[in-house]
Amino acid sequence: MTESRPKGHNPLTRLIARARGHVRHESGYHEHEAEGRVLAPSRRTIVPSATVTGNALIAVVAIMTFLAGITIGSVAAVRTVAADWSADIARETTIQIKPGDGLDVRSALDRAVLVARTVPGVEEARVMDERETAALLEPWLGSGVDVANLPVPRLVVVKLAPTSRASTLEALRTALASQVPSANLDDHRQWSERLSSTARAVVAIGLAVLGLVAAATVLSVVFATRAAVDAGRSIVEVLHFVGARDSFIAAEFQHHFLAVGLKGGLIGGGAAMALFFLGATLPGWLGWGGSGDTLVGAVALDARGYGGIAGVAVLVALVTAITSRMTVYRTLRSIS
């Protein structure tokens, strides 16, 4: 004896029932009894939930999200460091006194300090002592250098107040020119401009990398969607035959690839966040001290950096879903 299967047990039967219900709903007709009992079983989709293609696409999306997250995090870290450096450079300047014939360097240094302290907007001015000067020259002249016996320039470090403006440096330069002719004011403008140019270049490179990652993700989703449509072509044709609209079929694929994008984005974005977190905290845990810093400083992210990585993960999932929907629409037109 053979047992009769209950209505709606076959996955294709469920899809046909849902497609018919979708058509009735769009036409204004609602059937709450017989079709409601058919829709009660667990949701099944046209796209298989676990396939080699699906697993591979999750891996691809995770890798792309990881690369995008690393790019976003690196750009955010560099911009933060560049902003800190620019703020430090803008708040500090130096006055240089070069030794010359008949010049009393010590007296010139003292006069430069007095002049700087009288300028509005200057918070502090001090002479860099011989030990600090020798430390600056140590990479070139070695340790134990006697600065007093060398004709090297001496420096006055000037710290500007937070309320200082560009006119403060101009006033300081004018006062030095009239009262300490041997002094030369260095406002570090050249270094500030180079730092700003470097930060802009890093941002531009980051945007270019994000564009390449986005293009690779879109192409991967397009190929995966076409393969999924071809694999379920017979089911798609049956749904067309029973009157299912393209929007219903496209929604089935979109839901599937949205889940794929969310899984891949969660894996890739989480890995990128974990990498930056370990890079910022691991040196301290291992007792490396400052050796964990890079050329541009400690690579650490703030809340905005981590938020940017999370936003990229969500964006990749949305791009995956939208790309799959558009690809299904184009493929269905060729089937029709």
Side-chain angles (χ1 to χ4, degrees), residues 27-71:
S27 62
Y29 176 74
H30 301 275
E31 187 175 345
H32 298 283
E33 296 180 358
E35 290 298 336
R37 288 192 294 271
V38 173
L39 292 175
S42 60
R43 179 183 178 90
R44 300 296 295 269
T45 62
I46 304 173
V47 188
S49 58
T51 61
V52 176
T53 304
N55 294 333
L57 183 59
I58 291 177
V60 170
V61 172
I63 293 172
M64 295 302 176
T65 307
F66 177 77
L67 294 177
I70 291 296
T71 303

mmCIF file of all heavy atoms in Angstrom, residues 27-71:
data_model
loop_
_atom_site.group_PDB
_atom_site.id
_atom_site.type_symbol
_atom_site.label_atom_id
_atom_site.label_comp_id
_atom_site.label_asym_id
_atom_site.label_seq_id
_atom_site.Cartn_x
_atom_site.Cartn_y
_atom_site.Cartn_z
ATOM 1 N N SER A 27 -3.417 40.742 -7.585
ATOM 2 C CA SER A 27 -4.628 41.054 -8.345
ATOM 3 C C SER A 27 -5.775 41.488 -7.446
ATOM 4 O O SER A 27 -6.879 41.771 -7.924
ATOM 5 C CB SER A 27 -5.058 39.827 -9.162
ATOM 6 O OG SER A 27 -5.364 38.748 -8.284
ATOM 7 N N GLY A 28 -5.564 41.483 -6.110
ATOM 8 C CA GLY A 28 -6.602 41.932 -5.198
ATOM 9 C C GLY A 28 -7.420 40.814 -4.616
ATOM 10 O O GLY A 28 -8.342 41.050 -3.830
ATOM 11 N N TYR A 29 -7.131 39.540 -4.970
ATOM 12 C CA TYR A 29 -7.894 38.405 -4.478
ATOM 13 C C TYR A 29 -7.122 37.764 -3.338
ATOM 14 O O TYR A 29 -5.929 37.478 -3.449
ATOM 15 C CB TYR A 29 -8.111 37.382 -5.601
ATOM 16 C CG TYR A 29 -8.817 36.103 -5.150
ATOM 17 C CD1 TYR A 29 -10.168 36.104 -4.883
ATOM 18 C CD2 TYR A 29 -8.090 34.930 -4.996
ATOM 19 C CE1 TYR A 29 -10.804 34.950 -4.477
ATOM 20 C CE2 TYR A 29 -8.718 33.775 -4.582
ATOM 21 C CZ TYR A 29 -10.081 33.784 -4.333
ATOM 22 O OH TYR A 29 -10.695 32.638 -3.933
ATOM 23 N N HIS A 30 -7.774 37.506 -2.188
ATOM 24 C CA HIS A 30 -7.139 36.918 -1.019
ATOM 25 C C HIS A 30 -7.840 35.629 -0.656
ATOM 26 O O HIS A 30 -9.061 35.598 -0.474
ATOM 27 C CB HIS A 30 -7.197 37.880 0.183
ATOM 28 C CG HIS A 30 -6.520 39.177 -0.092
ATOM 29 N ND1 HIS A 30 -5.176 39.358 0.064
ATOM 30 C CD2 HIS A 30 -7.021 40.359 -0.547
ATOM 31 C CE1 HIS A 30 -4.857 40.601 -0.250
ATOM 32 N NE2 HIS A 30 -5.969 41.224 -0.631
ATOM 33 N N GLU A 31 -7.074 34.544 -0.550
ATOM 34 C CA GLU A 31 -7.621 33.254 -0.174
ATOM 35 C C GLU A 31 -6.988 32.870 1.161
ATOM 36 O O GLU A 31 -5.795 32.614 1.240
ATOM 37 C CB GLU A 31 -7.291 32.203 -1.238
ATOM 38 C CG GLU A 31 -7.977 30.871 -0.973
ATOM 39 C CD GLU A 31 -7.724 29.890 -2.108
ATOM 40 O OE1 GLU A 31 -7.281 30.341 -3.169
ATOM 41 O OE2 GLU A 31 -7.967 28.698 -1.925
ATOM 42 N N HIS A 32 -7.758 32.853 2.242
ATOM 43 C CA HIS A 32 -7.218 32.698 3.582
ATOM 44 C C HIS A 32 -7.330 31.276 4.120
ATOM 45 O O HIS A 32 -6.792 31.004 5.188
ATOM 46 C CB HIS A 32 -7.957 33.628 4.550
ATOM 47 C CG HIS A 32 -7.808 35.067 4.209
ATOM 48 N ND1 HIS A 32 -6.659 35.774 4.484
ATOM 49 C CD2 HIS A 32 -8.655 35.948 3.606
ATOM 50 C CE1 HIS A 32 -6.807 37.030 4.077
ATOM 51 N NE2 HIS A 32 -8.011 37.143 3.545
ATOM 52 N N GLU A 33 -8.012 30.388 3.426
ATOM 53 C CA GLU A 33 -8.259 29.075 4.008
ATOM 54 C C GLU A 33 -7.358 28.014 3.398
ATOM 55 O O GLU A 33 -6.359 27.608 3.972
ATOM 56 C CB GLU A 33 -9.733 28.701 3.824
ATOM 57 C CG GLU A 33 -10.681 29.660 4.589
ATOM 58 C CD GLU A 33 -12.135 29.282 4.398
ATOM 59 O OE1 GLU A 33 -12.383 28.306 3.652
ATOM 60 O OE2 GLU A 33 -13.005 29.945 4.972
ATOM 61 N N ALA A 34 -7.696 27.556 2.159
ATOM 62 C CA ALA A 34 -6.936 26.456 1.562
ATOM 63 C C ALA A 34 -5.487 26.852 1.340
ATOM 64 O O ALA A 34 -4.577 26.122 1.722
ATOM 65 C CB ALA A 34 -7.595 26.041 0.236
ATOM 66 N N GLU A 35 -5.251 28.043 0.733
ATOM 67 C CA GLU A 35 -3.880 28.447 0.465
ATOM 68 C C GLU A 35 -3.142 28.745 1.762
ATOM 69 O O GLU A 35 -1.939 28.582 1.850
ATOM 70 C CB GLU A 35 -3.848 29.683 -0.441
ATOM 71 C CG GLU A 35 -4.293 29.411 -1.865
ATOM 72 C CD GLU A 35 -3.390 28.419 -2.564
ATOM 73 O OE1 GLU A 35 -2.211 28.286 -2.153
ATOM 74 O OE2 GLU A 35 -3.848 27.743 -3.482
ATOM 75 N N GLY A 36 -3.839 29.216 2.787
ATOM 76 C CA GLY A 36 -3.190 29.487 4.057
ATOM 77 C C GLY A 36 -2.631 28.228 4.668
ATOM 78 O O GLY A 36 -1.570 28.220 5.276
ATOM 79 N N ARG A 37 -3.342 27.094 4.495
ATOM 80 C CA ARG A 37 -2.828 25.839 5.025
ATOM 81 C C ARG A 37 -1.629 25.350 4.226
ATOM 82 O O ARG A 37 -0.733 24.704 4.746
ATOM 83 C CB ARG A 37 -3.942 24.787 5.003
ATOM 84 C CG ARG A 37 -5.014 25.032 6.037
ATOM 85 C CD ARG A 37 -5.899 23.816 6.166
ATOM 86 N NE ARG A 37 -6.663 23.570 4.944
ATOM 87 C CZ ARG A 37 -7.867 24.102 4.689
ATOM 88 N NH1 ARG A 37 -8.424 24.917 5.582
ATOM 89 N NH2 ARG A 37 -8.506 23.839 3.571
ATOM 90 N N VAL A 38 -1.582 25.682 2.933
ATOM 91 C CA VAL A 38 -0.442 25.278 2.109
ATOM 92 C C VAL A 38 0.802 26.078 2.476
ATOM 93 O O VAL A 38 1.910 25.571 2.495
ATOM 94 C CB VAL A 38 -0.781 25.455 0.609
ATOM 95 C CG1 VAL A 38 0.448 25.207 -0.233
ATOM 96 C CG2 VAL A 38 -1.900 24.510 0.206
ATOM 97 N N LEU A 39 0.585 27.371 2.817
ATOM 98 C CA LEU A 39 1.732 28.218 3.146
ATOM 99 C C LEU A 39 2.261 27.975 4.560
ATOM 100 O O LEU A 39 3.285 28.501 4.922
ATOM 101 C CB LEU A 39 1.346 29.702 3.014
ATOM 102 C CG LEU A 39 1.065 30.185 1.590
ATOM 103 C CD1 LEU A 39 0.586 31.633 1.636
ATOM 104 C CD2 LEU A 39 2.279 30.043 0.711
ATOM 105 N N ALA A 40 1.562 27.196 5.341
ATOM 106 C CA ALA A 40 1.970 26.966 6.713
ATOM 107 C C ALA A 40 3.286 26.219 6.851
ATOM 108 O O ALA A 40 4.050 26.489 7.764
ATOM 109 C CB ALA A 40 0.871 26.216 7.454
ATOM 110 N N PRO A 41 3.638 25.237 5.957
ATOM 111 C CA PRO A 41 4.904 24.519 6.120
ATOM 112 C C PRO A 41 6.097 25.467 6.017
ATOM 113 O O PRO A 41 5.973 26.617 5.642
ATOM 114 C CB PRO A 41 4.884 23.505 4.962
ATOM 115 C CG PRO A 41 3.449 23.344 4.615
ATOM 116 C CD PRO A 41 2.830 24.658 4.848
ATOM 117 N N SER A 42 7.270 24.955 6.353
ATOM 118 C CA SER A 42 8.477 25.779 6.370
ATOM 119 C C SER A 42 8.769 26.329 4.988
ATOM 120 O O SER A 42 8.519 25.680 3.975
ATOM 121 C CB SER A 42 9.673 24.947 6.847
ATOM 122 O OG SER A 42 9.873 23.856 5.972
ATOM 123 N N ARG A 43 9.353 27.528 4.971
ATOM 124 C CA ARG A 43 9.615 28.230 3.716
ATOM 125 C C ARG A 43 10.691 27.508 2.919
ATOM 126 O O ARG A 43 11.735 27.155 3.436
ATOM 127 C CB ARG A 43 10.069 29.665 4.024
ATOM 128 C CG ARG A 43 10.391 30.470 2.773
ATOM 129 C CD ARG A 43 10.904 31.831 3.165
ATOM 130 N NE ARG A 43 11.253 32.588 1.987
ATOM 131 C CZ ARG A 43 10.423 33.383 1.334
ATOM 132 N NH1 ARG A 43 9.181 33.481 1.745
ATOM 133 N NH2 ARG A 43 10.808 34.055 0.275
ATOM 134 N N ARG A 44 10.437 27.292 1.639
ATOM 135 C CA ARG A 44 11.424 26.716 0.735
ATOM 136 C C ARG A 44 11.643 27.703 -0.408
ATOM 137 O O ARG A 44 10.732 28.425 -0.822
ATOM 138 C CB ARG A 44 10.936 25.376 0.165
ATOM 139 C CG ARG A 44 10.669 24.340 1.217
ATOM 140 C CD ARG A 44 11.942 23.971 1.961
ATOM 141 N NE ARG A 44 12.886 23.340 1.079
ATOM 142 C CZ ARG A 44 12.958 22.019 0.885
ATOM 143 N NH1 ARG A 44 12.143 21.208 1.537
ATOM 144 N NH2 ARG A 44 13.855 21.504 0.060
ATOM 145 N N THR A 45 12.833 27.766 -0.917
ATOM 146 C CA THR A 45 13.163 28.706 -1.972
ATOM 147 C C THR A 45 13.589 27.967 -3.221
ATOM 148 O O THR A 45 13.868 26.774 -3.205
ATOM 149 C CB THR A 45 14.299 29.640 -1.529
ATOM 150 O OG1 THR A 45 15.453 28.859 -1.275
ATOM 151 C CG2 THR A 45 13.914 30.400 -0.284
ATOM 152 N N ILE A 46 13.656 28.722 -4.329
ATOM 153 C CA ILE A 46 14.108 28.147 -5.594
ATOM 154 C C ILE A 46 15.577 27.767 -5.508
ATOM 155 O O ILE A 46 16.012 26.760 -6.051
ATOM 156 C CB ILE A 46 13.879 29.161 -6.736
ATOM 157 C CG1 ILE A 46 12.409 29.575 -6.785
ATOM 158 C CG2 ILE A 46 14.315 28.593 -8.066
ATOM 159 C CD1 ILE A 46 12.133 30.678 -7.764
ATOM 160 N N VAL A 47 16.370 28.579 -4.803
ATOM 161 C CA VAL A 47 17.814 28.366 -4.715
ATOM 162 C C VAL A 47 18.105 27.405 -3.572
ATOM 163 O O VAL A 47 17.628 27.601 -2.453
ATOM 164 C CB VAL A 47 18.551 29.703 -4.474
ATOM 165 C CG1 VAL A 47 20.044 29.511 -4.585
ATOM 166 C CG2 VAL A 47 18.063 30.752 -5.454
ATOM 167 N N PRO A 48 18.870 26.345 -3.802
ATOM 168 C CA PRO A 48 19.241 25.439 -2.707
ATOM 169 C C PRO A 48 19.985 26.197 -1.613
ATOM 170 O O PRO A 48 20.813 27.056 -1.887
ATOM 171 C CB PRO A 48 20.146 24.401 -3.381
ATOM 172 C CG PRO A 48 19.789 24.461 -4.828
ATOM 173 C CD PRO A 48 19.390 25.879 -5.097
ATOM 174 N N SER A 49 19.658 25.895 -0.355
ATOM 175 C CA SER A 49 20.233 26.646 0.761
ATOM 176 C C SER A 49 21.710 26.346 0.974
ATOM 177 O O SER A 49 22.449 27.163 1.501
ATOM 178 C CB SER A 49 19.461 26.335 2.050
ATOM 179 O OG SER A 49 19.508 24.942 2.317
ATOM 180 N N ALA A 50 22.171 25.163 0.603
ATOM 181 C CA ALA A 50 23.577 24.787 0.809
ATOM 182 C C ALA A 50 24.097 24.096 -0.440
ATOM 183 O O ALA A 50 23.790 22.943 -0.699
ATOM 184 C CB ALA A 50 23.718 23.872 2.022
ATOM 185 N N THR A 51 24.844 24.831 -1.229
ATOM 186 C CA THR A 51 25.456 24.274 -2.432
ATOM 187 C C THR A 51 26.921 24.660 -2.458
ATOM 188 O O THR A 51 27.369 25.528 -1.709
ATOM 189 C CB THR A 51 24.760 24.804 -3.698
ATOM 190 O OG1 THR A 51 24.914 26.230 -3.739
ATOM 191 C CG2 THR A 51 23.278 24.449 -3.715
ATOM 192 N N VAL A 52 27.671 24.018 -3.336
ATOM 193 C CA VAL A 52 29.081 24.366 -3.469
ATOM 194 C C VAL A 52 29.229 25.818 -3.908
ATOM 195 O O VAL A 52 30.068 26.572 -3.413
ATOM 196 C CB VAL A 52 29.765 23.412 -4.472
ATOM 197 C CG1 VAL A 52 31.212 23.839 -4.692
ATOM 198 C CG2 VAL A 52 29.702 21.979 -3.968
ATOM 199 N N THR A 53 28.359 26.226 -4.844
ATOM 200 C CA THR A 53 28.404 27.611 -5.319
ATOM 201 C C THR A 53 28.086 28.585 -4.197
ATOM 202 O O THR A 53 28.730 29.626 -4.035
ATOM 203 C CB THR A 53 27.426 27.807 -6.484
ATOM 204 O OG1 THR A 53 27.736 26.877 -7.508
ATOM 205 C CG2 THR A 53 27.520 29.216 -7.036
ATOM 206 N N GLY A 54 27.065 28.248 -3.382
ATOM 207 C CA GLY A 54 26.695 29.132 -2.289
ATOM 208 C C GLY A 54 27.795 29.259 -1.261
ATOM 209 O O GLY A 54 28.119 30.359 -0.795
ATOM 210 N N ASN A 55 28.423 28.147 -0.891
ATOM 211 C CA ASN A 55 29.510 28.190 0.083
ATOM 212 C C ASN A 55 30.716 28.951 -0.455
ATOM 213 O O ASN A 55 31.377 29.702 0.272
ATOM 214 C CB ASN A 55 29.925 26.765 0.463
ATOM 215 C CG ASN A 55 28.818 26.030 1.213
ATOM 216 O OD1 ASN A 55 28.000 26.660 1.870
ATOM 217 N ND2 ASN A 55 28.790 24.720 1.101
ATOM 218 N N ALA A 56 31.002 28.742 -1.744
ATOM 219 C CA ALA A 56 32.119 29.470 -2.344
ATOM 220 C C ALA A 56 31.839 30.964 -2.373
ATOM 221 O O ALA A 56 32.740 31.785 -2.139
ATOM 222 C CB ALA A 56 32.387 28.947 -3.756
ATOM 223 N N LEU A 57 30.575 31.334 -2.644
ATOM 224 C CA LEU A 57 30.238 32.758 -2.689
ATOM 225 C C LEU A 57 30.347 33.381 -1.297
ATOM 226 O O LEU A 57 30.782 34.527 -1.160
ATOM 227 C CB LEU A 57 28.828 32.951 -3.244
ATOM 228 C CG LEU A 57 28.383 34.407 -3.422
ATOM 229 C CD1 LEU A 57 29.315 35.150 -4.365
ATOM 230 C CD2 LEU A 57 26.949 34.482 -3.920
ATOM 231 N N ILE A 58 29.965 32.643 -0.272
ATOM 232 C CA ILE A 58 30.127 33.154 1.092
ATOM 233 C C ILE A 58 31.602 33.437 1.373
ATOM 234 O O ILE A 58 31.957 34.473 1.956
ATOM 235 C CB ILE A 58 29.561 32.148 2.111
ATOM 236 C CG1 ILE A 58 28.041 32.084 2.003
ATOM 237 C CG2 ILE A 58 29.957 32.552 3.532
ATOM 238 C CD1 ILE A 58 27.411 31.060 2.918
ATOM 239 N N ALA A 59 32.474 32.520 0.940
ATOM 240 C CA ALA A 59 33.909 32.720 1.135
ATOM 241 C C ALA A 59 34.403 33.941 0.371
ATOM 242 O O ALA A 59 35.201 34.745 0.889
ATOM 243 C CB ALA A 59 34.676 31.474 0.708
ATOM 244 N N VAL A 60 33.928 34.106 -0.871
ATOM 245 C CA VAL A 60 34.349 35.255 -1.681
ATOM 246 C C VAL A 60 33.882 36.556 -1.039
ATOM 247 O O VAL A 60 34.654 37.529 -0.929
ATOM 248 C CB VAL A 60 33.806 35.127 -3.109
ATOM 249 C CG1 VAL A 60 34.021 36.420 -3.887
ATOM 250 C CG2 VAL A 60 34.479 33.973 -3.833
ATOM 251 N N VAL A 61 32.620 36.597 -0.606
ATOM 252 C CA VAL A 61 32.094 37.804 0.029
ATOM 253 C C VAL A 61 32.848 38.103 1.318
ATOM 254 O O VAL A 61 33.148 39.267 1.630
ATOM 255 C CB VAL A 61 30.580 37.650 0.297
ATOM 256 C CG1 VAL A 61 30.060 38.818 1.128
ATOM 257 C CG2 VAL A 61 29.814 37.570 -1.018
ATOM 258 N N ALA A 62 33.180 37.064 2.087
ATOM 259 C CA ALA A 62 33.936 37.268 3.325
ATOM 260 C C ALA A 62 35.310 37.852 3.036
ATOM 261 O O ALA A 62 35.769 38.776 3.733
ATOM 262 C CB ALA A 62 34.064 35.939 4.072
ATOM 263 N N ILE A 63 35.981 37.332 2.001
ATOM 264 C CA ILE A 63 37.311 37.851 1.651
ATOM 265 C C ILE A 63 37.214 39.299 1.185
ATOM 266 O O ILE A 63 38.029 40.156 1.579
ATOM 267 C CB ILE A 63 37.954 36.966 0.566
ATOM 268 C CG1 ILE A 63 38.263 35.573 1.135
ATOM 269 C CG2 ILE A 63 39.235 37.598 0.036
ATOM 270 C CD1 ILE A 63 38.723 34.580 0.095
ATOM 271 N N MET A 64 36.227 39.592 0.340
ATOM 272 C CA MET A 64 36.071 40.963 -0.150
ATOM 273 C C MET A 64 35.740 41.917 0.988
ATOM 274 O O MET A 64 36.249 43.041 1.040
ATOM 275 C CB MET A 64 34.971 41.001 -1.218
ATOM 276 C CG MET A 64 35.299 40.226 -2.477
ATOM 277 S SD MET A 64 36.817 40.823 -3.269
ATOM 278 C CE MET A 64 36.989 39.654 -4.606
ATOM 279 N N THR A 65 34.879 41.483 1.902
ATOM 280 C CA THR A 65 34.547 42.333 3.046
ATOM 281 C C THR A 65 35.756 42.553 3.939
ATOM 282 O O THR A 65 35.976 43.654 4.468
ATOM 283 C CB THR A 65 33.408 41.702 3.859
ATOM 284 O OG1 THR A 65 32.306 41.407 2.998
ATOM 285 C CG2 THR A 65 32.934 42.642 4.949
ATOM 286 N N PHE A 66 36.564 41.513 4.106
ATOM 287 C CA PHE A 66 37.779 41.638 4.912
ATOM 288 C C PHE A 66 38.729 42.659 4.292
ATOM 289 O O PHE A 66 39.263 43.531 4.991
ATOM 290 C CB PHE A 66 38.455 40.274 5.025
ATOM 291 C CG PHE A 66 39.758 40.307 5.777
ATOM 292 C CD1 PHE A 66 39.777 40.394 7.162
ATOM 293 C CD2 PHE A 66 40.959 40.250 5.100
ATOM 294 C CE1 PHE A 66 40.975 40.428 7.856
ATOM 295 C CE2 PHE A 66 42.170 40.281 5.776
ATOM 296 C CZ PHE A 66 42.175 40.373 7.168
ATOM 297 N N LEU A 67 38.933 42.567 2.979
ATOM 298 C CA LEU A 67 39.816 43.525 2.309
ATOM 299 C C LEU A 67 39.267 44.945 2.406
ATOM 300 O O LEU A 67 40.016 45.906 2.650
ATOM 301 C CB LEU A 67 39.996 43.118 0.843
ATOM 302 C CG LEU A 67 40.732 41.800 0.588
ATOM 303 C CD1 LEU A 67 40.758 41.489 -0.901
ATOM 304 C CD2 LEU A 67 42.153 41.858 1.137
ATOM 305 N N ALA A 68 37.953 45.080 2.209
ATOM 306 C CA ALA A 68 37.348 46.405 2.322
ATOM 307 C C ALA A 68 37.453 46.939 3.741
ATOM 308 O O ALA A 68 37.717 48.126 3.955
ATOM 309 C CB ALA A 68 35.879 46.342 1.888
ATOM 310 N N GLY A 69 37.261 46.067 4.733
ATOM 311 C CA GLY A 69 37.384 46.490 6.122
ATOM 312 C C GLY A 69 38.802 46.910 6.473
ATOM 313 O O GLY A 69 39.010 47.905 7.183
ATOM 314 N N ILE A 70 39.790 46.152 5.986
ATOM 315 C CA ILE A 70 41.185 46.519 6.228
ATOM 316 C C ILE A 70 41.485 47.879 5.598
ATOM 317 O O ILE A 70 42.178 48.723 6.176
ATOM 318 C CB ILE A 70 42.130 45.443 5.657
ATOM 319 C CG1 ILE A 70 42.021 44.157 6.472
ATOM 320 C CG2 ILE A 70 43.570 45.926 5.649
ATOM 321 C CD1 ILE A 70 42.462 44.293 7.902
ATOM 322 N N THR A 71 40.954 48.097 4.388
ATOM 323 C CA THR A 71 41.188 49.382 3.716
ATOM 324 C C THR A 71 40.559 50.529 4.489
ATOM 325 O O THR A 71 41.205 51.565 4.733
ATOM 326 C CB THR A 71 40.611 49.332 2.295
ATOM 327 O OG1 THR A 71 41.199 48.244 1.573
ATOM 328 C CG2 THR A 71 40.880 50.626 1.552
#
